[in-house]
Each structure stands twice: as C-alpha cells, then as structure tokens.
Amino acid sequence: MAAHLKKRVYEEFTKVVQQQHEDLSTKKLRLTKPSKSAALHVDLCKATSPADALQYLLQFARKPVEVESVEGVVRILLEHYYKENDASVRLKIASLLGLLSKTAGFSPDCIMDDAINTLQNEKSHQVLAQLLDTLLVIGTKLPENPSVRMRLVEVACKHLTDSSHGVRNKCLQLIGCLGPVEKGVAKEAENQAAKDVQKIIGDHFNDQDPRVRTAAIKAMLQLHERGLKLQQTIYSQACKLLADDYEQVRSAAVQLIWVLSQLYPESIVPIPSSNEEIRLVDDAFGKICHMVSDGSWVVRVQAAKLLGSMQQVSSHFLEQTLDKKLMSDLRRKRTAHERAKELYSSGEFSSGRKWGDDAPKEEIDTGAVNLIESGACGAFVHGLEDEMYEVRIAAVEALCMLAQSSPSFAEKCLDFLVDMFNDEIEEVRLQSIHTMRKISHNITLREDQLDTVLAVLEDSSRDIREALHELLCCTNVSTKEGIHLALVELLKNLTKYPTDRESIWKCLKFLGSRHPTLVLPLVPELLSTHPFFDTPEPDMDDPAYIAVLVLIFNAAKSCPTMPALFSDHTFRHYAYLRDSLSHLVPPLRLPGRKLVSSPVSPSITPHEDPSQQFLHQSLERVYNLQHLDPQGIQELLEFTIRDLQRLGELQSELAGMADFTATYLQCQLLLIKALQEKLWNVAAPLYLKQNALASAAAKQILEETYKMEFMYSGVESRQVVIIHHMRLQAKALQLIVTARTTRGVEPLFGMCEKFLQEVDSFQRCFISELPHMQGSFVDKLLDLMPRLVTSKPSEVVKILQTTLRQSTFLHLPLPEQLHRATANIIEPTGESDNPLRFTSGLVVALDVDATLEHVQDPQGTVKVQVLYPDGQAQLIHPKPADFRNPGPGRHRLITQVYLSHTAWTEPCQIEVRLLLAYNSNRSKASARIPKASWNESLEALPPSENGIEGTIPFSKPVKVYIMPKPARR
Amino acid sequence: FLAFSLHPGAGQDVGRSCILVSIAGKNVMLDCGMHMGYNDDRRFPDFSYITQNGRLTDFLDCVIISHFHLDHCGALPYFSEMVGYDGPIYMTHPTKAICPILLEDYRKITVDKKGETNFFTSQMIKDCMKKVVAVHLHQTVQVDEELEIKAYYAGHVLGAAMFQIKVGCESVVYTGDYNMTPDRHLGAAWIDKCRPDLLISESTYATTIRDSKRCRERDFLKKVHETVERGGKVLIPVFALGRAQELCILLETFWERMNLKAPIYFSTGLTEKANHYYKLFITWTNQKIRKTFVQRNMFEFKHIKAFDRAFADNPGPMVVFATPGMLHAGQSLQIFRKWAGNEKNMVIMPGYCVQGTVGHKILSGQRKLEMEGRQILEVKMQVEYMSFSAHADAKGIMQLIRQAEPRNVLLVHGEAKKMEFLKQKIEQEFHVSCYMPANGETTTIFTNPSIPVDISLGLLKREAATGPVPDAKKPKLMHGTLLMKDNSFRLVSPEQALKELGLAEHQLRFTCRVHIQDPRKEHETVLRVYNHLKGVLKDYSVQHLPDGSITVESILIQATAHSEDQGTKVLLVSWTYQDEELGSYLTSLLKKGLPQSTS
C-alpha cells in the first residue's frame, strides 16, 4: 500500500516539473501525457545542428518512457523526422521508433500508418533499412493482426528491388518474420497482389550480394520455424547454393537442405548425370556429408552437427560415411581396423611387427575407384580427422546421435570412436568417451578394442579417467580375458592414482554385476586360492584387494555357485565390507549363514509404499489436531518430528520429503512455543527471558524457511506459498516482540510500515493461491487490512498478536519429488596430521573436491567458505568451469582455494565448508512479477522486493591443518 | 595464352623440383631443388635450358621457393651465385630462417666429408639469402606493376606454402608439397576459391588413399609404451627436420598424458637450431599448439633432452631419436649396433628406406647383418615400420582441386604411371583438362582472358537505363565504340568517337522490300499492317502517319502496289544501322505475312 503511495508521489512530482516546460513553450500541443514528449520537443527545437539533435536523442534514449506517453513521443519524433535533413538524425529517430514500440503494454498499431508513410520519401538506404527494422518490431508486436502483417509484407516486397543490400536484407527478414504462414491466408491475399512469399524469397536466392542471399535463406528458415511448410521445389535451388562462394551462404544453405530433408524424407529426386533416383533424405545426407570437407570450418561444423539428426537416412548410406577405401599404388589395402578385426577373428594377437604387414592385396579396377564421391563416402572419417577441434567434436556428437538410433552403425563406428580416445585435445577425448558410454547398450567391445580403451586409464587427467570408469560401468565385455584385462588395468590405475579409489570400486561393482558368468572362472585366480594349500590372508585395508572383492561379490549376487569357491577369510571380509562399504557390496545369500534382514533390505520397492504411507499418516495426524491443548500439540509435534527424521535416515528415497516436512513442523512447533499464552501475560521486567526465547524462535524460523525454500529441489509454488506464509508469521512474531520491549513509538512506525509492505507484496505474489488459505494468518490479516493501515502501531501489534494466535495451521501439500541439496567434501579429507606449510603473506592453493547433489544452478549458488581460527571468514566463488556435471542432479566441484594468513606460532586448523547462497529475489515467487523494463534503464525496485541475500551451510565442515611460517629475511 | 614450361627438374619424377612458368609475358621460376640420388652435374637442374645467351636476371622476373626441403631449394645458391641470378627470390619467413641451416649442412656433407670441390661456399649461401624477400601468408606481394604473388598455407613442413601467381586476370597456383590432413604440429593446407587458370599440384601419392592418421599414431605410441614398460630401449632413426618434430610432439604429449618417466633423447646437431625456429613460428603450427602456447610452448620439450653418446649404455628404458633416418651411417647406426642384440629393444623406422641401407635390410626381414670388418651383427631387437608421410593423398589432391576450382590442372612431382590414373580421375570428376608433362617438356595452355575496358560514366548510365533492369549476374549488351589507343581500351559513345577521331558521321540505312498478298487497296493494307504491328509490338510506339506510312520508333514502313500484280503489295521497310535489331525483327515479322483478316 505504502509502495503505491510512494509511486503516486513520484508521478505527481514528475508531472509538475514537466508541465512547467509545457507552459513555457508548447501550449498548442495536445498530448495524452505531455511530460516526456514535451521535454523532448523542446530539446529538439532548441537543437541548432544535427549533431546537437543527435545528442538530445541519445540522452532521451537512456531514459524510460511510460506506456501512456509513448504515442505522444512517437508523434513528436515523427514530426521532427519529416523536418530533419540529416540522415544520421533520421536514422536515430527511426531506431527510437522501434525501441518505443517495444514498450510493454503499448500497442503500436496506431503508429503503423505513419511509420509506413515515412518510407515513401526516404532516400537514404541506411534510414530505409532502419525504418524497415522498426516495422518489423511493430509487426512482431501485433501477432494477431493478419491484415497489418499483410500490409507490412507488401511494403517489404515493394522495397525488395532497392539497390542497397541492407534494405533488401531487412525486407527479407521482415517477410520471413511476418509472411503469412497458413495456406488459407495466402490464397485470400492473392487477390490483393501479395504473391506467394516463398516464391518472393526464393527469387532472392540468386541475388548478387551474398548478404542478401544469406538473408533470403534465413528468411526461408524463419518461415519454416513459424510453421509454414516449405515447398519441395526449393530443394534444387538450395543445392546450388551449397557451391556458393561465401561461407555464410553455404552455412545457411546446409541448414535449409537439412530442413527440407526432414520435411520430405521419402520423396524421390533424380541423380544428375544418371538415370537413377534416390530418396531425398539420402540425397541431402550425401550433400551435407560433402560439406564436411568444405573449405570453411564454420560450414564444416554446421554440416557435421546436422548429420547427427538425420536419422531417416538409409543404412547403406550411413555406413558409407565410415568407409574410406584405402589403396596403395592402385591396390586395395585393408584399413588398420579391418586388420585388427581379422587378427582377432583368426584367434591371433596383433603381431603387427612385419614390415608390409599392411601390404596391399588385390588390384583395384581403376575405373571403379571414385576419389571424391558425391555420396556420403568417408564423411565421418574426414570429420574426425579435421584440423579444427570444433569440427571433430561436432562429428563425434553426430556419430553419437546416429549410433544411438542404429545398432549396426554403432558397431561400425566403434573403431573410430576408440581412435578418438587418442586425440590431442582433451575435450575431444572426453566427448568421445561420453559418446561411447551413451551408445554402450548397443555394442560389445572386442578384446583389441578394450585394450585401446583401457590404455587411456593411465591418462593424467582425472576427468578422462573418471569418464572412462563410467564407460566401463556400462560396457559389455565378450570374454573372460577381457574382464581380467580390465581388472588388471584398473588395478594399475589404482596404484598410479590412489585418489581414484571410489570411482574404481564403483566401476568394478557394475562390471561384476553385469558379467557374473565371466567372472566365475576367474575367481580362484583372483582370490589366489589353492585347492590344497591355504594361502595367506590378504591385507583387508589394501584398496586393490577391496577392488577385487567388490568385483567378485557383485558377480556372486547373481551367481549362487560362486560362494563355494570362497575361503574362510573371504566370508569374514565379506561381512566387514558389507558393513563398511554397504553401497558397493550387495547382500549375498551365503551358505550356512542367515541373511540378517537389515533395516535396509535388498529390494526397496515393496517397502516404499508403507514408508510413504507412514509419512502421510503422521502428517495427517498432525494436521487433524487443531483442538488439542497446547501441551498435547507440542508433544505430538515433537514425536512426529523425531519419527520423520528417523524415517529420513532410513529411507534415502524419502529423505528429502521427510526432512522438508520435519523442518516445517519444527517451525510450527517453535511458533507455538513462542506464542504460549502465559509468556505474554507476565510483567515487563520478568519478560526479558521469554523475550529472548521468542525472538530466538522467530529468528530460527526465518532461517529454516530460507532453507526450505532454497535447499530443496522440486519445490513447487504451492509449497513456496506456505513457506512464505510461515516466514510472514515469523516476521509478525518479531514485530510483536520488539513492540513489547522497545519504548517509544517512533521506531515502531517504520517497522509496521515495513511489515505491511510485506503483507502487500505477499498478496500480490500469491494472489492465485489465497483461496486455498482459508482461516490462515494471512487470510485473517487481509480481512483486517483496511483497519491496520489506518491504526496506530500499538493497535497493529495487538491485532497481530490475536490473529497469530487464532490462525490455523496450514496443511503442507507434498510435491512428487523432493530432494535436499547435499554436498560432500571428498578432498581435503581432514585426516592429515601434516600441516600445510607456507610463507606468511604468500598464498597456498588448497585443492577442494566435492560432490553436490540436487543443487540447481551450482555455478551461481555454491560458494566455498574458509574459517580461520581467529574468526576471520573468507568466501570464495568458484569459477563456473570448476563445476562438472557427471549425471542428472549431480555436480562435482573441483577447484582450488587460495589461503593466506599472517604468521602463526604453531600449526592450527582451518575449516572449509560449502555454502549455498540464496537471494530471495531469485525465488520463484518474485519471478512472476512482470518486470516493466524499457531499455537498459531499470528503476530501482520498491524496497520490499529487495532481496535478502544469505547463505546456508550445506556440507560438513572439513578441518585442514595449516601453518603459515614467518618470512625469512 | 599461358605458356608453361616444365623444366629441368620435377615433371614425372620425385626430387629436383624446378618449374618455369611464363604467364602473360612474365617468367617465374618455381622452386630450385636438387636431386638426392646423384653426385654429379645431374643433381642440379640444367639452367642453360632457360636461356642460352643472356643473363638469367633479364629473363626471369622472380623465383619462388615453396618450402625448405632440399629437393625444393637445394640448388638455390648454385643458381643465384654460381650461375648468376640477381632478381628477387620469394619464400615465407620460416623457410627463409631454416633454409640456410639445411643448405649449410648439405654443403658440409658434400664438401667436408666427401671432399668435393667446385661447390658453393658458406659465403655464397649467405649472399644468396640476402636476395630473398620473405612473405607472409595471404599477403599479396607486387613483384612489379603487373606480377603479383600470394602465399597460402600448405601444411607439410613448417613454413611450407602454396603460391598464387597472378598477372592481370591470368593466374597460376603452385602447390609445392602439401598435406590435406593435419598432424600433431601442423595444420592442413587451405586455399580459397581463387579459380586459377592453372593449378600445378604435386602428386607424390597419386594412387594412394591413406588410412586415418590416428591408427598409425596409436600403434606407434602403443609400441613405444609397451617396450618402455618392459624396460626396453627404443631407437627411432629420423631425418633432422619435419617428421622428427611431429614425432617429438607426439611422444612428448603422450608422456605428459600418461605420466611416464622414462627419458627421451634427441641427438643434437642442426635440430636444436631448427627447433628454435619451430618455437618462434607458432602461427604456422596447428590449432592445438597455437591455442596452448600462452601457457606453454609445445616445442619447449619437458621430457625430451639432448642426447649424449654415453647415454646409450645407460641401463633402463629410454627412447632415442637419432639421425640419419635410414640407418646408413652416423649416430643412429652406432646406437643400433649397441642395442640390436637385446630382444627387449625396438627400432621404429618412421619412413621409407633406400635399397642398400641397413634400414632397408632390417625392414625386409634380414636378421643377420654383415657390418664392415666382416662382423656379423645378429639383430634380435624388434623392428617396426611406421609410415608418417606428410603429402596429400589422392583424396587430398582432389579436395584441393575442389577448393580452388581451377580451369586446368597440371600434375608434377610424381611417377608417370600413377599420375596417369589421377589425371583420368580429375578429368572425369571435375571436367577440367589435366596435363602431366615430362622433364623438359613445355605445355601450353590457352586461356580466355577478360580484358578490362574503360567506359565513360555518362555512357554507362545511359546504356544501363535502356532495356530491362540491370541484373549483375547476366551479361548486358551495350552500344558504343571501342577505341584502342595508346595500349588502352575505351568504350565511348559514337559521337565522341567521331569527334576524337575527327571523322564525319555517315548514315547507314537498310531498306527491304516485303511482298504481301493482299488484294485490297493500299491504304487498307497499310491500316491492316498498322493494326497488326500495334497488336504485336506493345512496348514500342507504332504510329500511322497522315502520308500513308507507318513508323515503328524510327523505322519507316511504306506500302505500294506491285507494278504488275495489283494483288501483291510491296512493303518498303527502311531503318538505320542503329535500329538493326528491331528492323530485322520487323522484316521477319512482316515476311510471315499478315494474319487472316479478322474482319
């Protein structure tokens, strides 16, 4: 309310100032809202030179214009437009017209005629282009007005013959954006001399200026995007454009061809120079493949990317993309891939040691060899060997998409992908590993391929290794030798990079559970058991031994015969690992041992329903208890909270849900406690203690509500209302407490006003949700609003207190999925006793490695906090590049934190933790308020909407031992 | 026309590149190479072929060197200092830097080791280099007013370039050696759509389509890695420049990636000097090196150290690059003899070996070698062959042709039989004529040069205004008088031409009689003709004059009755020379006769 008042005051103010201007000079003008336009008019009249006028216009452009005065301003501008001789000023006016018509809430149809009229006498090409641009803006602002659009398109068609490329460009753009899309409209319009837009645009495919050609193709694509079905006849035209001299034309033409191939995949086109005919999609595929060896890398990237999405192409065409017939001295040569395959199938390991091992075999018929085929031959071979890594990445991506839809192609492209593991640029290597993972369900690795894949495990880049582990998790291996090889290489990896431990164990877990039958024959060897002799018991803490056990136990899960091969200590180790690494070791049905049914039983699905039921039941119970005595309510709440917390610990799936509700109930509990009647009845001096309790409660509730709002992913607007409502209650409580403790009325005025503002903004944000909140605090408050606005602070407080106490407890609906954001710092481990020594005043870099789950937009929100023993705290914003996204909902932060301090006498521990930063402005609630912004200028938002920024710690702190030494002189 | 003469070297032969091009009266020599196989006069091109009498400087406008390999620049000091040429020599900056090192090395081997006399001296190399003008990529250099050259990136070795030579509107592109697939240290050759009249391309691998580079690299790395892990030593005989750097980068990055610790050595010598230039000319290398050199210059090797003779006996694994590449002498052979006996060790031959060298013998599977002094060396170490060649293969050549869109192609620097195949392919695929001259043969290619003509603005505007709207893609007919005066062409209006030449204007008029069968009266016939023409020629002004004649624009038509046969009318059509087009159209129209009376 007060915000409204304030705004009104501002408005009055501006009016007053500018009306003076009007009185002075332009009395004759009749304007809807004279303020802005009058000032502008005065300025423009004062301008003596074009440069002056331009300056005024530039200044004017920096300030926003209200919706109501837009039309007036436009009229003024137009008036000056006709008077103006200087082209640059006219250009600026034209651009201002465009900007003004963009103003939200302004309907530009009233100025359209004028804008079109200005075109008539304009000589300058630049101004013409700008005016057309303005018309484009106007047209896009009026989407539901076909006649206006028709008119604009007609205007554009008229100017298509202009000699300047800029004007033609804009015309085409306009036609593309506004041209009629539905067939019916087009036919109607035929009478009105507006021809088929496609034909008009198509005619400009042969324009002399490459920029216009590009614009024409883009306009065509725009039409397609707007839903017009392009005619097949432009296909041949587009094909000709592929040989254009300019790269931007070729690039756009490739897109157009792709669009057409998706529209008419099955129609038949003739092959020039022969009588044969092929499907259009195949022809287009061949043509785009051809562009993969274009001279410009921009076009190559474009072509390679588009290839990936052409899934209707026939398989023999697809397979040709990987085919590059090798020859040497006109004799056919086998590729290294073919050789490797042959060696493998003949049961021999690659010797490859003879010179001329790759000696060419059969003679080639010279006529049959086609060096540059018009078809798809070897497109990917070229793409993957390209000079620019952008092209290579695009090719790998395309390969991935095609392989996902075609298993036979996946099998074929495997060799090429494996080759890419050796690329010189890490990004490409990583991308190809990811690609391989995505298609892994379609393929089985041959031993020689596995060998090359595993060779990459020694890579020094952690990302590569981890991506490879992920890949191994889901690959199919064909032989037991393959499994053995993989295990050996992984163990090698483990000794070389001990930090990979977790990732390797996880990898072996999946490897074991996927290939139980292949692991079975390896078990004696792996456990080094002997039929007759007892072998020494291996060290239980050896990560390599654990790795082997993880593999075996996971295989044993679906292979009941395996435990018979275990020796005694293996069973003991099993029991130990089952407890310590329960996420890696599955429960096994071991002979002679009872499977202890642990709380977390093997199959979770049957349990899900009861626990969910439990959750809902306990909530029901709480919500139904409106009429119990306060004591009873409190107890019940306490019990329920305890239950929920326990449930969260037991059931990881429901943890988010349980925590969320528990927090909510906790807030409610605090509120009830703080409002206990007897607290408020005591006299003021005694009151201090209770006061402390209540204000602490208010503060805690506030904190908890922020946690609820920002720490959980999957929170919907229904929950957000409840959370905000709870926050409002807490604020009311705060107000009451302050009112009772402070003397004097002045400070209360401000507080009351602020609170009322908040109620107001709450109402505005959640107007749609209010009906669901019958009987709640806010509902009652809004009823009393008129009284509150007029009454004194003391009364307000009184009213608040009663409403707060009378209000009912809101039911918290639960969303489908709710996850709590969690973070786990893997490194530093906090176990080290060796302090990190560095010279004071200099910096030391601390590697931080953490996993984040269910954090939305971690780049913007996750911060690292370092707490020094002297209480100094440092907040670090990690770079966006430090976040990796290994899977949905999961993120990984690998960053370096720079520490520095003055000299200490002895080593001490610092704390490192992760924080989740929030800003209430960013919340889903305020996103709904349409922000009225004109260009760059944004008026300061009303204070009530100013965000409260804060942070929530969401990881366990880790202690790091450091020791800044004094600098030696 | 464009004369192209292939001259002492190149042609259908590898080595000794030297090509002479005459283009629109300018003579340019492309490359000046030597032949590795000969030790007598045949090693250098026969420069007497160019001119029998007179100095070379007067005859040649410039010399262009494509890259620093000796078969492309080896004869340069001989040519410029001993035969005598003082004109400009063009090469790229890296070539200019590295070329003298190689020439000096070559001179040392021939003079100091083999004791030859009558060879160029160090001073001559220096003097020769003073005549060199260095060019940048894509920089257009004006050799004189008419001749200009431009360099394009060619891959192959550091600083290799393709050159476009242009005189007026005629142009030639000479590729030198080039590589269309990027490697570990250089990018791929690139040219724009310059549409030259002639593309002179090398064709070393005219009949080969190579396997992907990655397989070869992977194999190489895998073999080295395995041997080193076993504790064996790896010997890689290389030539000092070019492939050696590629392999170094390959191993260096692999060592870095895999965190390997075994030492890698490079035998010293001219390599170090050359390596210095590799570090400097970063802009000439591939994307990866260019992008990362700010952090670290890839040629500043971390793992590769200089080799010392004593290191060969060190225990433990190591990798050594040693010269020369064919194991015929020098350090590589010494190391080979030391390591050959151990089956854990390995030798990798990264290139082709000439018959008779130790390299060739071991590659062909010989396990017992007879060394000098009747020693028998038993080779137990593994012998591997890896081809790392940086020439474009058949597909690459075709790709370049597609990029440049030449009107003619000429193949050099390859074997005749292989070139024949490629020639046939090119003609079939691109429909351009392809030539493959032999040594000393001259090929003449006729071009269709366009000749620029000046036209006065007034005339242009006047002519452009008539007829349909100008369309830049279509040729347009213009009327004017072509004046050829003082070696320049001008298109002027007829009046001006007359004035300039001081001539009086003559009227030229064509008259033509057309017989029409029409029994009616004369003026009726005239009326019919008038109506007919009016109907057909809608865009022209057709008038019926009171004296019974018709005018179409300025063409006059009169009708008279035939003197003998009253049923036949004679139409007299008369037009001036300027209206020839319309006039002849009109007569042919009238000859077809009038349409049957439409009442």
Side-chain angles (χ1 to χ4, degrees), chain A residues 588-600:
Chain A
L588 291 182
R589 202 170 290 281
L590 297 180
R593 246 161 240 257
K594 265 229 182 102
L595 185 64
V596 188
S597 85
S598 56
V600 189

Side-chain angles (χ1 to χ4, degrees), chain A residues 245 290 293 295 327 329 336 352-353 355 369 371-372 384-385 389-390 419 422 452 459-460 496, chain B residues 181 184 190 195 208-212 214 218 257-258 287 363 383-385 395 402 418 425 429 472:
Chain A
D245 281 7
H290 211 53
S293 49
M327 56 177 194
D329 289 351
R353 266 167 216 144
W355 184 37
V369 184
L371 286 180
I372 284 220
L384 294 175
E385 265 186 46
Y389 84 92
E390 291 91 342
D419 277 352
N422 258 326
T452 1
D459 202 297
S460 59
K496 206 162 173 183
Chain B
T181 45
R184 288 283 168 156
W190 181 86
R195 302 200 173 90
T208 303
I209 299 176
R210 264 174 309 165
D211 199 354
S212 107
R214 281 170 211 293
R218 200 189 58 211
R257 259 181 66 196
M258 297 303 183
Q287 189 192 20
L363 278 181
V383 179
E384 300 285 355
Y385 172 76
K395 252 194 152 153
R402 190 160 84 96
K418 297 180 180 178
K425 281 286 152 202
E429 198 74 38

Side-chain angles (χ1 to χ4, degrees), chain A residues 219-261:
Chain A
M220 199 63 107
L221 289 169
Q222 181 79 32
L223 280 178
H224 165 73
E225 252 165 53
R226 291 179 48 227
L228 182 74
K229 190 158 179 171
L230 302 184
Q231 287 148 8
Q232 203 198 321
T233 42
I234 55 172
Y235 180 70
S236 56
Q237 272 179 299
C239 288
K240 269 183 214 126
L241 287 172
L242 283 180
D244 200 276
D245 281 7
Y246 292 84
E247 63 177 29
Q248 66 267 48
V249 182
R250 292 200 300 267
S251 170
V254 169
Q255 273 183 46
L256 185 60
I257 292 220
W258 177 79
V259 164
L260 288 169
S261 79

Side-chain angles (χ1 to χ4, degrees), chain A residues 752-770:
Chain A
C752 278
E753 192 176 325
K754 208 172 153 207
F755 181 75
L756 291 180
Q757 271 175 25
E758 257 161 61
V759 176
D760 188 47
S761 69
F762 182 88
Q763 189 191 2
R764 269 189 290 138
C765 291
F766 303 108
I767 192 96
S768 59
E769 303 279 346
L770 283 178

Side-chain angles (χ1 to χ4, degrees), chain B residues 242-312:
Chain B
R243 285 322 92 204
Q245 273 70 25
E246 187 192 346
L247 293 178
C248 279
I249 290 249
L250 192 60
L251 274 192
E252 167 86 9
T253 44
F254 187 72
W255 248 238
E256 186 99 12
R257 259 181 66 196
M258 297 303 183
N259 248 336
L260 297 179
K261 293 286 176 285
I264 309 175
Y265 297 112
F266 204 120
S267 69
T268 46
L270 75 159
T271 328
E272 249 174 305
K273 251 193 237 165
N275 234 355
H276 179 62
Y277 291 114
Y278 272 85
K279 271 183 230 167
L280 280 179
F281 293 108
I282 284 295
T283 44
W284 288 79
T285 54
N286 72 3
Q287 189 192 20
K288 160 94 176 165
I289 300 177
R290 267 182 290 142
K291 288 226 159 132
T292 54
F293 94 100
V294 183
Q295 283 92 39
R296 191 184 141 217
N297 196 324
M298 292 266 279
F299 289 104
E300 266 159 29
F301 300 127
K302 229 187 242 170
H303 302 274
I304 303 177
K305 293 157 217 126
F307 183 70
D308 187 278
R309 198 163 294 208
F311 291 167

